[in-house]
Amino acid sequence: MKKALIVYGGWPGHDPEGLKEVFTDILTKENFDITSSDSLDAFFGDLGGWDLIVPVWTMGSLTSEQEKNVCAAVAKGTGLAGCHGGMCDAFRNNVLWQFMTGSQWVAHPGNGGVTYRVRMKRASSSPLIDGIGDFDVTSEQYYLHVDPAVEVLAVTDFAIDNGDHFSNGIITMPVVYTKMWGKGRVYYNSLGHNRKIFDIPEAREMMRRGFLFAAR
């Protein structure tokens, strides 16, 4: 049986408890042995015994030791998978974390009331999106600064609105991607402002496949 560690907490506006429950349900149905922690102390010590680490922690801060421990475990083969601010707006001052995870949130123009389309990258042959159709979501639309090393699986278009990015025109932004960190696989989905997002079948299925992809 594979072992997963879910570490949840941080800013309460991202529903860390609710997302922990959703992810626990998904992983339980896939026969993972799950340990949950609401303390970043879980990142002290050797983390190499985990097959999958799932961060659900927005706007926190890791010590240098904690950051190095997680990154070292992933480099040796532990998987890392998460969503929204719980993974890629987790630790703004920890640049090694951002290097490993592949992006950092910088804005969500329009805040939480934006309805936008998530489009699968049809040129990709990845089983992570095979058979999943495009779908609409009303939530925060994440504007990310993204590592060019990632493999993008789903995207969204930022429409022109009244913001300082207006003069750039319409741009295409990754929503779902994977990357490698040493021997470990990393999966990220920018959806997930709260648990209700994963009532959308396509969003939930993408997270399920992402967990399985990333796990050792």
Side-chain angles (χ1 to χ4, degrees):
M1 180 177 287
K2 293 188 177 183
K3 296 171 60 180
L5 173 65
I6 302 175
V7 181
Y8 68 99
W11 184 59
H14 275 164
D15 192 18
E17 177 76 31
L19 289 172
K20 184 263 295 186
E21 292 175 359
V22 170
F23 294 162
T24 296
D25 181 63
I26 292 172
L27 290 168
T28 297
K29 290 175 179 175
E30 297 298 332
N31 297 313
F32 278 78
D33 179 15
I34 303 161
T35 297
S36 298
S37 175
D38 62 359
S39 171
L40 292 176
D41 287 349
F43 289 153
F44 283 118
D46 184 359
L47 301 172
W50 300 105
D51 297 298
L52 178 66
I53 295 173
V54 181
V56 189
W57 197 293
T58 303
M59 293 189 290
S61 181
L62 295 177
T63 68
S64 176
E65 179 184 353
Q66 290 168 318
E67 183 179 38
K68 288 178 181 178
N69 288 345
V70 182
C71 292
V74 176
K76 293 176 182 177
T78 296
L80 185 76
C83 75
H84 203 62
M87 179 161 149
C88 286
D89 191 26
F91 310 115
R92 294 179 182 179
N93 294 323
N94 294 99
V95 294
L96 182 60
W97 174 272
Q98 294 166 21
F99 191 9
M100 175 179 65
T101 58
S103 70
Q104 172 61 39
W105 169 85
V106 292
H108 42 59
N111 298 314
V114 178
T115 298
Y116 59 96
R117 173 139 289 216
V118 177
R119 295 186 287 107
M120 304 302 115
K121 290 263 298 187
R122 296 305 174 196
S124 172
S125 60
S126 173
L128 290 173
I129 59 170
D130 185 40
I132 297 177
D134 301 346
F135 62 97
D136 293 327
V137 60
T138 300
S139 184
E140 293 177 342
Q141 186 182 28
Y142 261 22
Y143 199 107
L144 303 166
H145 285 175
V146 182
D147 184 342
V150 304
E151 179 181 357
V152 180
L153 301 175
V155 298
T156 186
D157 293 331
F158 271 82
I160 297 171
D161 63 11
N162 293 322
D164 290 334
H165 61 297
F166 177 91
S167 56
N168 294 305
I170 295 175
I171 62 98
T172 299
M173 177 64 60
V175 174
V176 178
Y177 63 75
T178 63
K179 68 171 287 187
M180 297 298 297
W181 183 257
K183 296 179 180 179
R185 289 182 248 183
V186 177
Y187 175 89
Y188 178 68
N189 186 333
S190 72
L191 304 177
H193 181 67
N194 56 46
R195 74 186 83 186
K196 293 181 180 179
I197 296 299
F198 296 109
D199 290 340
I200 301 171
E202 295 90 344
R204 186 182 181 95
E205 176 63 13
M206 284 197 295
M207 283 307 304
R208 186 190 72 83
R209 295 185 191 184
F211 289 144
L212 295 178
F213 161 83
R216 189 198 310 271

